[in-house]
Amino acid sequence: MKANDPRINTQELNLTSDNTFIATPGSDFELNIQPFLSGLDAEKKTVVISDEYFFPTPSKGGDATYYQKLIKLLLSLKCQRIVYTNHPGYPTAYQQVQVALAADGIVLDNIVTTTPIHDRYWICPESRKGFTTGTSPNGMAGKLSQINWIPVEDVDKLTTIYKTENVYTE
């Protein structure tokens, strides 16, 4: 995206937070991200995830263990719907996760889009809570990365962008 892209210039984000968590190499990504998932307050709501590498191939860390952990984490949201933006990645794994979530009543939608958003965001528009991660969950245990809460104002701005790009509807 270019700096003068009108879709983003009208939505300046602050991305400042006192609540930064640093994940260290060798740490457990489940333990790293669980407090943030719980903090989304997403029960019976929608969660929008923007993360191009959320469904990695086996060569990029998307093995059976990763997907079992991912399913467990997504189920812990107790949300009604998860909207995942960008390409579906590894199709077999995406379908596996979709089926597992559906068995628990959670709809997983993939919205292939060219939103002006590059970074990894997890937001719950209804609770107006969200966080950003420095890496995708598959890289969280292998690299030094950060997880930051997003200020309410920025969650609202991201929600506006997602609505404009037809990713999220109320």
Side-chain angles (χ1 to χ4, degrees):
M1 181 184 68
K2 298 182 179 179
N4 61 356
D5 188 327
R7 297 178 295 176
I8 195 72
N9 286 343
T10 59
Q11 302 294 329
E12 293 181 18
L13 302 177
N14 296 323
L15 294 181
T16 59
S17 178
D18 294 329
N19 301 307
T20 299
F21 175 82
I22 303 295
T24 57
S27 62
D28 187 327
F29 90 85
E30 285 181 283
L31 294 176
N32 294 341
I33 203 167
Q34 186 60 59
F36 291 87
L37 297 178
S38 299
L40 284 178
D41 185 28
E43 189 169 348
K44 297 182 181 174
K45 298 174 184 148
T46 299
V47 173
V48 181
I49 301 170
S50 177
D51 184 339
E52 211 166 305
Y53 301 101
F54 198 63
F55 292 99
T57 62
S59 66
K60 299 286 185 183
D63 60 13
T65 301
Y66 167 77
Y67 285 108
Q68 289 169 353
K69 288 181 178 183
L70 183 64
I71 290 167
K72 180 180 170 186
L73 288 170
L74 294 175
L75 288 172
S76 76
L77 288 166
K78 299 179 182 171
C79 60
Q80 182 176 8
R81 180 175 177 230
I82 297 171
V83 178
Y84 164 76
T85 66
N86 292 319
H87 63 80
Y90 187 45
T92 304
Y94 174 80
Q95 291 166 354
Q96 172 191 352
V97 172
Q98 189 177 41
V99 167
L101 295 179
D104 225 50
I106 300 173
V107 175
L108 177 63
D109 287 333
N110 174 259
I111 308 295
V112 178
T113 183
T114 57
T115 69
I117 296 173
H118 173 273
D119 294 340
R120 295 157 183 92
Y121 295 101
W122 296 56
I123 67 167
C124 179
E126 295 99 326
S127 68
R128 300 175 67 208
K129 295 179 182 179
F131 61 90
T132 182
T133 63
T135 187
S136 300
N138 66 309
M140 208 170 279
K143 298 178 182 179
L144 184 64
S145 62
Q146 65 180 351
I147 307 172
N148 291 304
W149 284 109
I150 302 170
V152 170
E153 299 81 20
D154 288 345
V155 172
D156 292 345
K157 291 172 185 176
L158 287 167
T159 299
T160 299
I161 292 169
Y162 286 133
K163 285 179 178 178
T164 301
E165 298 294 321
N166 296 314
V167 170
Y168 171 73
T169 56
E170 294 179 89

